[in-house]
Each structure stands twice: as structure tokens, then as C-alpha cells.
């Protein structure tokens, strides 16, 4: 099966017209027609774009001996956030966390005229923000850094909760669980 035949077959499987495919690849419909009729071949950049659009490997498009649907090596979709997307999520979640903390503190203070339950909520929000931080800022070993942070952050939070609630048991049990998690699950 030629490249043109594969493009035609995949385009029809996806339910795309030549015009719709041309818009996605940023070429004219005539160019798609020439590819389909094997009058010209797309550049490597277009092959990569086509493989992304059709969710197949570039090898499948280029190699003529890969013709059967059973042989079709579909690519696994990998969803990755761009740096701009990560920044947007970090800023919006930081803003939401700050607003939530303020709301908790204000509501608690004006209902009880002292801070009680809001300190627990605030510490949980801060802990969640610290656990999320490496996932949004790290460029390498994102999962390792996030898991390491998730293992370390709860210890000071548990210490704060033990002080707030005047209960050392919380810190002891929490520290024991964190140690167990670090040793056997990490």
C-alpha cells in the first residue's frame, strides 16, 4: 500500500474530508489530493503531523510493506502539559489555595472569634500545594520529585496538627505511617 493510499484510508477512517485534513496540516486541499494520488510526497514534518493526527507511527506511513490493519502500529497518546500550561495551572491553583486559606481563616475567626478548625484546613491546603509544586515546576524526574515531596511534606504538617490539637499521638502515628511508606512503598 502506498503512502497516498494509506493517507486516503486513514482520512476516511477518521471521517475527515480532504479540506479538513488540509486545515489540520496547514496545506491546501490540492496538496492533500496530490499526496493521495502519489503525485507528490509530504515532507518529513508533514509525515510527523499526519502520524499524530491519525494516531499511527511514522513508520506505518512511510513503509509500503505495512499494509494490514492488524499490523497497524497505533501510537499511544501521551498527554504532556506545555510549560505555559504548567505555569497557568500553578498560578491558578496557587490563587485558589490562597483564597481558600483566607476564606477558612476569616470564617473560623468570625464564627468562633478564634482560630480552631481553620488551622487544620489551612495546613491541608498548604500540604497539597507543596505536593503539587514539583509536578508543575520540575523538568526532570517529575514523578520521583513529586513522590518524594509527598513523603516529606506530611511530617511537618502532622507536627503542626499535633501542636494545634494538643495530641502527640497524631504525630507519632503519622510519622510511623510516613516512615513505613518511605521504606516499603517508595
Amino acid at each position: 500500500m502506498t503512502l497516498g493510499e494509506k493517507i486516503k484510508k486513514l482520512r476516511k477512517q477518521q471521517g475527515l474530508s480532504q479540506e479538513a485534513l488540509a486545515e489540520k496540516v496547514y496545506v491546501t486541499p490540492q496538496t492533500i489530493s496530490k499526496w493521495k494520488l502519489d503525485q507528490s510526497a509530504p515532507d518529513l514534518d508533514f509525515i510527523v503531523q499526519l502520524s499524530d493526527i491519525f494516531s499511527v507511527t511514522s513508520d506505518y506511513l512511510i513503509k509500503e510493506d505495512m499494509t494490514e490493519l492488524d499490523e497497524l502500529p497505533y501510537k499511544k497518546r501521551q498527554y504532556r502539559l506545555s510549560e505555559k500550561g504548567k505555569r497557568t495551572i500553578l498560578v491558578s491553583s496557587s490563587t485558589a489555595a490562597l483564597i481558600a486559606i483566607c476564606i477558612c481563616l476569616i470564617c473560623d475567626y468570625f464564627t468562633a472569634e478564634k482560630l480552631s478548625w481553620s488551622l487544620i484546613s489551612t495546613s491541608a491546603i498548604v500540604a497539597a500545594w507543596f505536593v503539587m509544586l514539583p509536578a508543575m515546576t520540575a523538568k526532570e524526574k517529575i514523578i520521583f520529585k513529586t513522590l518524594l515531596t509527598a513523603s516529606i511534606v506530611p511530617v511537618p504538617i502532622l507536627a503542626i496538627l499535633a501542636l494545634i490539637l494538643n495530641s502527640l499521638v497524631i504525630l507519632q502515628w503519622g510519622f510511623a505511617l510516613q516512615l513505613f511508606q518511605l521504606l516499603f512503598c517508595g
Side-chain angles (χ1 to χ4, degrees):
M1 188 180 297
T2 66
L3 174 62
E5 292 169 336
K6 289 178 186 178
I7 290 173
K8 180 180 177 182
K9 180 177 114 180
L10 291 168
R11 181 181 58 77
K12 287 187 178 186
Q13 282 178 351
Q14 298 268 332
L16 293 172
S17 65
Q18 284 186 354
E19 291 79 17
L21 180 60
E23 285 180 24
K24 286 186 174 218
V25 185
Y26 302 108
V27 295
T28 64
Q30 292 80 11
T31 303
I32 299 292
S33 180
K34 286 181 181 180
W35 292 348
K36 179 185 77 170
L37 298 172
D38 291 315
Q39 293 175 349
S40 68
D43 293 340
L44 195 53
D45 292 337
F46 291 119
I47 294 285
V48 172
Q49 286 180 0
L50 291 169
S51 71
D52 285 342
I53 291 168
F54 297 133
S55 297
V56 295
T57 62
S58 299
D59 285 349
Y60 171 74
L61 291 174
I62 295 170
K63 293 181 180 177
E64 289 191 18
D65 58 342
M66 296 177 80
T67 58
E68 294 299 315
L69 189 59
D70 295 338
E71 295 177 17
L72 192 62
Y74 283 98
K75 286 172 40 174
K76 292 181 182 176
R77 288 271 180 196
Q78 292 184 348
Y79 298 99
R80 294 184 184 213
L81 287 173
S82 65
E83 290 302 314
K84 183 179 178 183
K86 284 182 181 181
R87 259 193 323 271
T88 303
I89 290 172
L90 183 62
V91 168
S92 59
S93 61
S94 298
T95 304
L98 189 59
I99 291 170
I101 288 170
C102 290
I103 290 172
C104 286
L105 292 172
I106 290 169
C107 289
D108 189 21
Y109 183 77
F110 285 110
T111 56
E113 295 189 7
K114 65 178 183 169
L115 298 178
S116 57
W117 62 265
S118 64
L119 297 176
I120 296 169
S121 300
T122 300
S123 62
I125 293 168
V126 169
W129 186 83
F130 272 114
V131 168
M132 184 201 68
L133 190 61
M136 294 295 123
T137 58
K139 296 191 190 280
E140 296 177 350
K141 299 182 181 180
I142 295 170
I143 294 174
F144 173 75
K145 289 177 182 177
T146 302
L147 290 175
L148 184 64
T149 305
S151 298
I152 294 170
V153 165
V155 175
I157 300 299
L158 290 170
I160 292 168
L161 287 176
L163 286 172
I164 293 170
L165 299 174
N166 264 346
S167 177
L168 196 57
V169 174
I170 293 173
L171 180 61
Q172 292 169 340
W173 276 98
F175 189 72
L177 287 172
Q178 283 303 115
L179 191 60
F180 175 79
Q181 189 251 341
L182 277 172
L183 292 175
F184 296 107
C185 300

